[in-house]
Amino acid sequence: MGESRRARLILGTLLTVALIILTVDHRTGEGSPFQPVRTAGAWLFGGAEQVVGTVGRPVSDFLHAVASAPSAQNDIKRLRAENSRLRAGLDANRLDAARSAQLKRMLGLAGRGGYKVVSANVIARRGAPGFEDAVQLDAGTDDGVRPEMTVLNGDGLVGRVIQASRSTSTAVLISDRASAAGARLEGGEEIGVVHGVGENGRLVQFRLLDSTAPMTRGGRIVSFGSQRGAPYVPGVPIGVIERVEATPGELTRVAFARPYADLTALDVVGVVVGAPARDPRDAVLPQRGRKEGAR
Amino acid sequence: MMAVLIVLVTVLVQVIVVNRLGLPGGAAPDLVLLAVVGVAMARGPVAGTVIGFCAGLLVDVVPPTAHLLGQYAFVLALVGYLAGRGVGSPVTTVIVCVLIAPLLAAGLGGLISDPRVTVATLTEQIPLTIVYTLIASPVVMWLNGRGGQLRYAA
């Protein structure tokens, strides 16, 4: 009986402590007294993740290859061939070649837009436990990464940096439900906001601010750019509109777009440390003739 | 000491490997929750509560993180207590804990008006997470059982 009372007492105390921490952290926002704790945690565990990530990369690459198999179930033959090819590709050389190709594509995109980028690898990811969609990158303030910088990959916009420690940084993806990015329809001045809707990063919501402007399936969206390029630089391809919602009587129009960047399988990304001198407009979008969003 | 190590390793494995697997549906099993449940079931309610609280703080701090400090400390402290006390048989205890934890986290997120907690979170993300966690739970419980036997033998 004494044991049970003690347990309940400890439970009550710890739950109260947790609620107090939560309230203080929520109320104080940016100037939270727990910011040092978070910074220390980012430094300590970011370092650990970096080390483990480097050592465990072939393992996680292999597991990833195996785990993505069910989605190709309809074509078991092709899957088998692909699996054996993937297993053979476990060879460090082949994987490095694939990552080098990703890096090349990313640098190509950065070059078209005139963005100055620092390349980084994804070393850890959130999703569980927690509801955020965030990744940890192995580049930090030592590499020039600061909070509120744009993150992109070879295909398009990925997210923004929210916290940076010396050697690692945290980025929130555009598929995160709390994320909002200014966006513009290709070839015009119509602007809107891209919100994450979860959905595994397969779709993002695009809210066009002018309800009378034309918007159709297949329309392409680029980032509009924030003031002084923070957190989002202009001209980065975001996605292709997949369906337009009917919203009669509303002030804005809503569409769902498929992001260019495959947000479920991020590896090589770039952090934009220098915005272009002028807006690249639609120059960074892939050429129309090519297959859209080929991954 | 062993419990601390188990929880620490599980948190790192969760963010480095499991969350990056890209499982169908986009969710992932919550191994940290299972680790806390396993440790608490072996150690009783007092140790379970304390370990759950500490594991929760760890979850709130380990990058990448974008939520408030204290959210998972609350959830996992409660789960640790429940698992330590036991709800019927070990199997029902695990199931109850796996069901309660994400709902509690979502409820707490709703209380502080976290924009990430929406109806879609409740209808799509959480059920999928629960299913994956339940699928993964026998493995963790088996490992835990083995660990327990070893401890009793020593």
Side-chain angles (χ1 to χ4, degrees):
Chain A
M1 196 62 210
E3 177 78 353
S4 160
R5 266 192 63 194
R6 201 157 73 92
R8 251 176 276 154
L9 187 70
I10 292 179
L11 175 70
T13 318
L14 290 183
L15 289 189
T16 317
V17 171
L19 280 185
I20 291 172
I21 295 177
L22 188 61
T23 314
V24 170
D25 203 28
H26 181 49
R27 283 296 179 155
T28 47
E30 283 296 305
S32 164
F34 297 109
Q35 210 56 43
V37 178
R38 224 173 253 136
T39 313
W43 176 78
L44 190 66
F45 296 111
E49 283 167 2
Q50 197 167 19
V51 172
V52 180
T54 319
V55 177
R57 177 171 288 282
V59 179
S60 67
D61 279 341
F62 174 72
L63 286 177
H64 187 266
V66 173
S68 48
S71 58
Q73 223 168 14
N74 48 8
D75 196 349
I76 261 177
K77 218 173 166 188
R78 191 179 57 77
L79 179 74
R80 283 221 180 105
E82 201 175 350
N83 250 356
S84 60
R85 193 167 55 76
L86 282 176
R87 280 216 184 91
L90 248 187
D91 231 25
N93 283 338
R94 295 278 291 277
L95 285 172
D96 276 353
R99 294 182 55 225
S100 138
Q102 277 190 39
L103 182 62
K104 219 177 264 171
R105 279 229 311 282
M106 192 268 291
L107 291 177
L109 182 139
R112 287 203 299 280
Y115 311 117
K116 213 171 124 194
V117 296
V118 166
S119 76
N121 293 305
V122 172
I123 52 173
R125 180 166 189 154
R126 256 318 156 106
F131 301 109
E132 64 262 53
D133 219 349
V135 293
Q136 192 74 359
L137 309 177
D138 66 351
T141 49
D142 281 357
D143 309 285
V145 176
R146 300 278 178 277
E148 302 303 318
M149 280 180 168
T150 312
V151 181
L152 46 77
N153 74 357
D155 300 311
L157 187 65
V158 169
R160 71 190 165 93
V161 177
I162 55 160
Q163 196 190 12
S165 69
R166 283 195 61 185
S167 58
T168 65
S169 52
T170 307
V172 166
L173 308 185
I174 51 170
S175 57
D176 186 281
R177 284 196 175 85
S179 146
R184 182 172 60 77
L185 270 178
E186 175 195 16
E189 296 297 336
E190 293 306 333
I191 58 170
V193 184
V194 167
H195 289 284
V197 287
E199 287 237 358
N200 186 15
R202 207 183 63 75
L203 288 177
V204 292
Q205 187 200 57
F206 177 59
R207 196 172 271 277
L208 192 67
L209 296 182
D210 184 354
S211 62
T212 59
M215 176 162 67
T216 51
R217 190 167 179 274
R220 307 192 294 178
I221 311 170
V222 298
S223 69
F224 180 61
S226 326
Q227 199 170 16
R228 294 206 199 104
Y232 294 107
V233 293
V236 186
I238 294 180
V240 185
I241 291 178
E242 206 155 72
R243 69 169 197 271
V244 181
E245 296 276 286
T247 50
E250 272 190 38
L251 289 175
T252 56
R253 288 185 73 196
V254 172
F256 288 89
R258 184 166 45 78
Y260 279 118
D262 184 358
L263 299 173
T264 54
L266 291 170
D267 196 356
V268 179
V269 298
V271 181
V272 181
V273 294
R278 56 182 195 81
D279 187 348
R281 303 289 297 173
D282 302 329
V284 194
L285 281 168
Q287 280 169 2
R288 265 288 182 193
R290 277 168 42 191
K291 202 177 153 223
E292 290 282 343
R295 280 168 183 168
Chain B
M1 193 59 217
M2 197 60 198
V4 174
L5 205 67
I6 291 175
V7 168
L8 191 65
V9 169
T10 315
V11 173
L12 288 179
V13 167
Q14 177 86 42
V15 296
I16 295 173
V17 181
V18 178
N19 286 351
R20 295 188 63 201
L21 286 181
L23 295 169
D30 192 344
L31 297 187
V32 184
L33 171 64
L34 290 177
V36 168
V37 170
V39 170
M41 278 167 74
R43 302 284 178 92
V46 177
T49 313
V50 175
I51 290 168
F53 180 78
C54 297
L57 276 188
L58 198 68
V59 165
D60 290 333
V61 164
V62 168
T65 167
H67 64 254
L68 294 169
L69 204 64
Q71 195 169 344
Y72 275 86
F74 184 93
V75 173
L76 291 183
L78 201 63
V79 167
Y81 172 77
L82 273 183
R85 237 185 111 240
V87 188
S89 71
V91 176
T92 50
T93 307
V94 173
I95 293 176
V96 165
C97 289
V98 168
L99 287 177
I100 271 186
L103 293 176
L104 205 61
L108 210 54
L111 273 184
I112 52 173
S113 57
D114 186 341
R116 295 181 183 95
V117 179
T118 58
V119 179
T121 319
L122 288 176
T123 56
E124 290 163 22
Q125 196 180 349
I126 289 182
L128 213 55
T129 310
I130 290 177
V131 168
Y132 274 125
T133 313
L134 283 179
I135 291 173
S137 60
V139 180
V140 176
M141 290 308 122
W142 177 73
L143 283 176
N144 188 59
R146 279 179 63 95
Q149 277 162 14
L150 288 179
R151 218 178 6 260
Y152 298 136

